[in-house]
Amino acid sequence: MSLTGLLRAVAELPEFIRLAEARLATAVAPTALAPVLLARLAAPAPVGAARRLLVVTATGREADDLAIGLRALAPSSTIAVFPSWETLPHERLSPSLDTVGRRLAILRRLAHASAADPLVQPIDILIASVRAVLQPMAAGLGDVEPVRLNHGMSVDLTWLVERLSELGYERNDLVERRGQFAVRGGILDVFPPPNEHPLRIEFWGDLVEEIRTFSAADQRSLELAGDGLFAPPVRELLLTSAVRERARLLATAAPEIADMAGRIAEGLHVEGMETLIPVLVDKMVTLPQLVDRSSTLVLIEPERIRTRAHDLERTAAEFLAASWHNAAVGDQSPIDLAGASYASVDEILATTDGRSMPRLLVTSLATDLELLDASADEVIDFGAAAAHEYRGDSGLAFADIAKWTAASWRVVLASEGHGSAERFVETLSGEDIPARLVDSLDDEPQPGVVSVTTASMLHGFVLEGCALAVLTETDIVGQRSSTKDMRRLPSRRRRTIDPLALAKGDFVVHEQHGVGRYVEIAKREVGGVAREYLVVEYAPSKRGQPADRLYVPTDQLDLVTRY
């Protein structure tokens, strides 16, 4: 549902006008107001000059929350979240094919966007956690051609199978997870990471006769796929002839990694091979170097971003210093893998300064001494406050709402579902508070009346400068009852799982890999650095083989909830 009426309500506020015109600015505002600020910047005329944005948050969860709020405020903008690896750069564990595929689909859109092509639309607002922004990647990944098929095309199935393998897809008997494909006669099943469902392509000779989605659970065909197949790479280290030759030379020069390098030279995907990316490719880049230079870099709560970045840098450095190849030669590594380590926030800012990118800091603090350059940044204080967290005290919430409506404020209440929105209207009317239910808040909210609508926003705010108060169901009830993002379950708003409360065999849900069984908490050691993992067991990827196991680091338990 749309909340674009909020932009109309704040359009004439002097602070928002200054924000639209500023090139280097620090906005002093609660985090809850950030979606409105960003939607205002990205809004097309006549609301303001549109900008493309690269938005950085402290965590991946915050990035997803921000994207959900922005989709209600800026429905005409294309919004994407660039995910980070689940693994550390030197951890000798490969990131999931799903995550890599979604990353490379976005990189393709950054490098070869086309407004006429619905699958590579230009991205207006790109959101990423600081972890995703600081991690270097192999250059040129956005230039790798994805596999694209449409009804009526002629393509050799043997070539297609080879190409999917080159892009990192795993061949399997049945397609059950993203990054897999299967061939049965003249039928190709493939599950590209950007898709909600896998695709089934039926061939008549070399002719693509039909492309349909199908259910991974029961393998039943569903509906026609109008956009066809768009399959980006699912590995960030593609085993090209150049990479394989470098791996062959590396195996000879560095016996400590001869096994891994030798298998890469043979064209085999090896667990943890991404560790060697810096020495197998020509150049490494970070995300800010790949976006349009006219984009505005936005840092949400920069102090939290800097703290998180310091933690990431320290942890990555510990893994590099104690990695197996260093330990094998007395801490004297024959190869330099530091190119895979996280960059610093200062390095990222220096990169963007060199590209002359506009910059906006959004902070709830009055000043941010580490990141604020008082001589360059224009400080804009919005005089806003985060909505009170009522934690189920509806009496206090309704008292505040009554006070605002009596003063002819514009009050908006965003509910997660239509049913709860209707109940809010009934309850407010019972308290003699004027309220009306609106399907979408496309127009400026009416003063003195509570506009209750269905929209996904995590928290609200109070903006005294234009007599506007926005509350969410989460603010009043204390927890989010549902989510509009159903592609990955469970909702990120749910509480992090407590591994001590789990018993062996309990069903859990990983937001990318789905439902599995909890096995144990295991400790794995890499070159003297120990790390604990939650072990989740899944059905084997091949029949007759042992069950697949997923190792979830304990600092990423927000990805897992009970079933």
Side-chain angles (χ1 to χ4, degrees):
M1 297 296 179
S2 170
L3 290 175
T4 54
L6 292 180
L7 299 187
R8 300 177 187 276
V10 303
E12 301 304 320
L13 202 64
E15 289 80 4
F16 280 87
I17 296 174
R18 289 173 58 196
L19 177 71
E21 297 172 348
R23 183 173 179 84
L24 298 174
T26 295
V28 181
T31 305
L33 188 61
V36 180
L37 302 182
L38 300 181
R40 171 71 175 85
L41 282 178
V47 178
R51 298 190 194 181
R52 286 189 177 159
L53 309 178
L54 171 58
V55 186
V56 185
T57 61
T59 67
R61 175 182 295 184
E62 292 171 17
D64 282 347
D65 286 338
L66 183 59
I68 291 172
L70 273 169
R71 289 189 179 105
L73 287 158
S76 62
S77 298
T78 54
I79 300 166
V81 177
F82 187 75
S84 63
W85 286 7
E86 311 90 344
T87 59
L88 293 170
H90 308 293
E91 200 172 0
R92 289 177 58 197
L93 292 173
S94 294
S96 73
L97 304 186
D98 181 11
T99 297
V100 173
R102 288 187 289 127
R103 284 163 60 92
L104 268 60
I106 289 175
L107 295 182
R108 181 67 182 178
R109 293 171 68 183
L110 292 178
H112 297 278
S114 171
D117 189 338
L119 297 180
V120 287
Q121 288 280 308
I123 300 173
D124 299 317
I125 305 175
L126 180 59
I127 309 172
S129 68
V130 65
R131 180 171 182 164
V133 169
L134 298 184
Q135 182 172 357
M137 303 170 284
L141 291 174
D143 295 325
V144 179
E145 287 284 347
V147 170
R148 301 200 64 171
L149 289 180
N150 287 102
H151 174 267
M153 289 180 61
S154 181
V155 61
D156 180 63
L157 182 56
T158 302
W159 172 87
L160 186 57
V161 168
E162 292 176 354
R163 181 57 179 162
L164 287 171
S165 297
E166 289 173 358
L167 296 182
Y169 286 79
E170 296 177 347
R171 185 166 184 171
N172 207 12
D173 294 334
L174 290 176
V175 168
E176 298 173 318
R177 293 196 291 271
R178 292 180 177 88
Q180 294 181 338
F181 75 95
V183 182
R184 298 185 308 281
I187 297 177
L188 170 69
D189 290 347
V190 60
F191 202 161
N195 288 35
E196 184 176 355
H197 295 289
L199 296 176
R200 178 161 292 151
I201 300 103
E202 295 188 19
F203 286 84
W204 179 263
D206 290 342
L207 184 69
V208 177
E209 192 172 47
E210 186 177 80
I211 303 178
R212 284 185 174 271
T213 60
F214 70 92
S215 168
D218 58 19
Q219 301 291 305
R220 291 184 179 181
S221 295
L222 299 173
E223 58 189 18
L224 289 172
D227 292 330
L229 171 67
F230 178 88
V234 292
R235 297 277 187 178
E236 292 190 30
L237 179 61
L238 298 177
L239 304 185
T240 62
S241 57
V243 167
R244 292 171 62 178
E245 176 60 20
R246 288 190 181 187
R248 186 186 66 79
L249 296 175
L250 190 62
T252 304
E256 302 79 15
I257 58 171
D259 180 57
M260 176 182 286
R263 293 172 68 189
I264 294 173
E266 294 173 7
L268 301 175
H269 293 108
V270 185
E271 180 68 21
M273 67 180 187
E274 289 77 10
T275 302
L276 302 180
I277 288 178
V279 294
L280 295 178
V281 302
D282 293 327
K283 183 181 178 183
M284 302 289 282
V285 295
T286 55
L287 184 61
Q289 294 173 268
L290 302 178
V291 301
D292 189 281
R293 66 169 58 246
S294 64
S295 301
T296 297
L297 176 68
V298 184
L299 278 65
I300 307 295
E301 297 294 355
E303 186 59 37
R304 293 189 63 244
I305 287 175
R306 184 175 286 276
T307 300
R308 176 63 173 156
H310 284 164
D311 292 342
L312 288 169
E313 291 175 59
R314 183 176 63 251
T315 304
E318 289 174 356
F319 267 83
L320 177 59
S323 57
W324 51 271
H325 55 268
N326 282 0
V329 290
D331 202 34
Q332 295 296 318
S333 174
I335 54 174
D336 182 12
L337 298 180
S341 297
Y342 294 113
S344 68
V345 174
D346 290 334
E347 289 172 331
I348 295 298
L349 290 178
T351 298
T352 57
D353 285 344
R355 301 186 74 205
S356 300
M357 290 178 64
R359 184 178 70 238
L360 170 65
L361 312 182
V362 180
T363 175
S364 55
L365 304 175
T367 58
D368 191 326
L369 299 180
E370 279 197 87
L371 290 179
L372 174 60
D373 181 355
S375 64
D377 286 42
E378 178 181 0
V379 180
I380 306 173
D381 191 342
F382 284 80
H388 183 78
E389 294 184 16
Y390 297 97
R391 302 183 185 277
D393 189 348
S394 57
L396 179 58
F398 294 148
D400 285 345
I401 292 173
K403 177 185 65 178
W404 290 323
T405 55
S408 294
W409 276 43
R410 290 165 293 188
V411 183
V412 176
L413 176 53
S415 172
E416 282 290 325
H418 188 74
S420 55
E422 289 180 330
R423 288 191 293 273
F424 273 123
V425 172
E426 292 174 2
T427 305
L428 288 167
S429 299
E431 297 287 333
D432 293 327
I433 299 174
R436 64 189 184 102
L437 183 63
V438 292
D439 292 332
S440 288
L441 193 68
D442 297 322
D443 299 320
E444 190 173 338
Q446 182 181 345
V449 178
V450 182
S451 299
V452 183
T453 189
T454 304
S456 291
M457 282 188 71
L458 189 56
H459 291 296
F461 55 87
V462 178
L463 195 56
E464 190 170 354
C466 61
L468 174 66
V470 177
L471 298 182
T472 69
E473 186 174 350
T474 306
D475 295 327
I476 296 176
V477 178
Q479 61 181 2
R480 200 163 193 174
S481 58
S482 65
T483 179
K484 298 297 180 183
D485 184 7
M486 298 301 291
R487 178 180 182 270
R488 299 185 301 276
L489 293 177
S491 167
R492 287 181 178 266
R493 263 57 61 186
R494 298 170 67 177
R495 183 175 299 176
T496 300
I497 198 168
D498 180 4
L500 299 179
L502 292 173
K504 184 175 181 178
D506 284 352
F507 286 103
V508 296
V509 186
H510 189 281
E511 72 167 28
Q512 293 168 354
H513 300 280
V515 180
R517 289 181 185 272
Y518 167 72
V519 179
E520 61 181 349
I521 295 290
K523 182 177 289 187
R524 300 180 70 174
E525 189 170 299
V526 179
V529 177
R531 199 177 187 198
E532 289 189 331
Y533 298 83
L534 187 80
V535 183
V536 183
E537 191 173 78
Y538 291 89
S541 57
K542 293 187 178 179
R543 293 174 183 174
Q545 298 297 316
D548 290 348
R549 287 194 168 188
L550 175 69
Y551 288 80
V552 183
T554 52
D555 65 351
Q556 295 176 29
L557 292 183
D558 60 327
L559 302 178
V560 183
T561 58
R562 280 186 178 275
Y563 177 68

